[in-house]
Amino acid sequence: LRDMADSQPAENNASAEAGGGRKKRVLNINIGIMGHVDSGKTSLARALSTVVSTAALDKNPQSQERGITLDLGFSSFTVAMPPHLKDQPYDELQFTLVDCPGHASLIKTIIG
């Protein structure tokens, strides 16, 4: 996963273009999903994502047992570059979602 501030395009090793052997250049945008407990943060990440990390979507046994997100979860989805960004040196746009716990004390720390 890449940060948008990086000046060089990321190269996705998993997907080389057919025939050309050139690796896809991916522009990554990180999005934190924050909100109150039970507001649907993890459900939103699950609905949008096509790739998930091993800790994403409340896979932690304690999270499943308690029914709440305890750890940050990382997942992503990729889309074609929109027309207004076609002049950029990237082949596709990746959104990385960070599913954050919704505990009041954590939200206060993040915002305050």
Side-chain angles (χ1 to χ4, degrees):
L1 304 178
R2 299 273 290 191
D3 188 88
M4 208 167 123
D6 225 328
S7 61
Q8 297 297 318
E11 293 186 358
N12 185 343
N13 293 330
S15 54
E17 289 186 13
R22 185 174 67 87
K23 295 177 183 172
K24 287 190 178 181
R25 299 162 300 166
V26 180
L27 174 61
N28 186 70
I29 297 176
N30 297 316
I31 301 172
I33 303 174
M34 295 184 286
H36 192 271
V37 173
D38 288 336
S39 62
K41 300 174 300 295
T42 301
S43 296
L44 176 64
R46 180 179 288 114
L48 294 173
S49 299
T50 57
V51 176
V52 296
S53 73
T54 56
L57 309 178
D58 294 339
K59 291 181 182 175
N60 180 324
Q62 287 184 349
S63 290
Q64 292 177 359
E65 181 180 309
R66 295 173 63 184
I68 59 173
T69 300
L70 297 174
D71 301 312
L72 294 176
F74 298 90
S75 59
S76 66
F77 64 95
T78 304
V79 298
M81 290 297 285
H84 69 284
L85 294 176
K86 289 288 187 185
D87 61 335
Q88 299 298 312
Y90 301 99
D91 300 310
E92 50 189 31
L93 183 58
Q94 174 178 281
F95 292 94
T96 298
L97 306 175
V98 183
D99 182 15
C100 302
H103 312 292
S105 59
L106 177 64
I107 299 297
K108 286 179 187 175
T109 300
I110 293 170
I111 295 174

